[in-house]
Amino acid sequence: MLAALAIGVGVATMGAGAAWGVSSSAVGGVDQGCAGLEQPCDTSFWSPSERVGNSNIYLGYQGPGEAEVGREVGYFPSFSAPDGMPGLAVTSVTHHAPRGFEFVGAEVSSRTPPWWTDVNLDSTATVDPVTGDVTVTAPEGGWVIPTDGFRSGQLYVYLRYKVVKPYLAGTAGVTFTGTDVPASKGWMATGITREVSAFGPFGS
């Protein structure tokens, strides 16, 4: 029975008039496993990079479209700097996965212009025993968003989960701390999950 079930994920974020000023779109697609960190995998939900609050850091958010129970999936918060502004750093990322998702691990990498070579960065991850939320923390000084002085590179946090149980509905969300980022009053971007099978979705 469980083998026939899958988790479908759509995204919704606060509009431009909300506290964080982050917008999003949703597109169709199927999770391809998200098995590597070299580049983000094909996704079915994404939040285009938008400035967060009054900070100069831009947040994008990507995640899987469908994931069968028993499979591993990944979420990709990403960060960039406007016009190659130097010295901006992210110090921590907190992620909330849908119910039924079990945390597997997290990696952080950066990609710097003009060659866009991936560099793996140090991090530590902790799981809240009550909520299950995962916080990935940078070493002292944070993860600096790479630039070449004219263009922004990208900073990626890749969070891996295994889908262990199906649920009719659930949410995924992300928030972060960094240079001039105001204290979070909620998730800066969120995803909505629904249970699907070969015959279509059960949830709405």
Side-chain angles (χ1 to χ4, degrees):
M1 181 68 177
L2 289 180
L5 300 176
I7 302 297
V9 185
V11 72
T13 62
M14 302 179 186
W20 298 111
V22 180
S23 64
S24 72
S25 300
V27 297
V30 177
D31 167 50
Q32 299 299 314
C34 300
L37 186 61
E38 288 77 12
Q39 58 184 355
C41 67
D42 292 342
T43 58
S44 74
F45 82 68
W46 60 284
S47 175
S49 280
E50 297 287 349
R51 183 176 174 180
V52 176
N54 294 320
S55 76
N56 285 307
I57 295 178
Y58 283 61
L59 166 67
Y61 186 43
Q62 303 178 56
E66 293 183 354
E68 293 180 2
V69 172
R71 287 196 62 184
E72 186 174 298
V73 297
Y75 293 86
F76 293 91
S78 62
F79 306 90
S80 59
D83 302 319
M85 181 181 292
L88 299 179
V90 174
T91 52
S92 70
V93 174
T94 298
H95 188 260
H96 176 78
R99 289 196 306 167
F101 281 50
E102 183 179 272
F103 179 64
V104 175
E107 292 87 31
V108 182
S109 70
S110 65
R111 188 175 293 172
T112 306
W115 306 114
W116 305 101
T117 302
D118 287 322
V119 176
N120 294 326
L121 305 175
D122 292 337
S123 65
T124 58
T126 58
V127 180
D128 187 302
V130 177
T131 64
D133 295 347
V134 177
T135 297
V136 185
T137 304
E140 185 176 355
W143 303 300
V144 177
I145 298 173
T147 75
D148 63 2
F150 302 96
R151 294 170 295 176
S152 177
Q154 292 286 332
L155 176 69
Y156 294 107
V157 179
Y158 175 40
L159 299 112
R160 294 179 288 117
Y161 295 86
K162 185 174 183 179
V163 185
V164 294
K165 294 180 181 178
Y167 282 92
L168 284 175
T171 60
V174 63
T175 188
F176 73 99
T177 60
T179 306
D180 299 326
V181 176
S184 174
K185 298 177 183 178
W187 303 114
M188 296 174 183
T190 61
I192 299 172
T193 68
R194 57 192 177 129
E195 182 178 303
V196 299
S197 74
F199 303 101
F202 293 115
S204 60

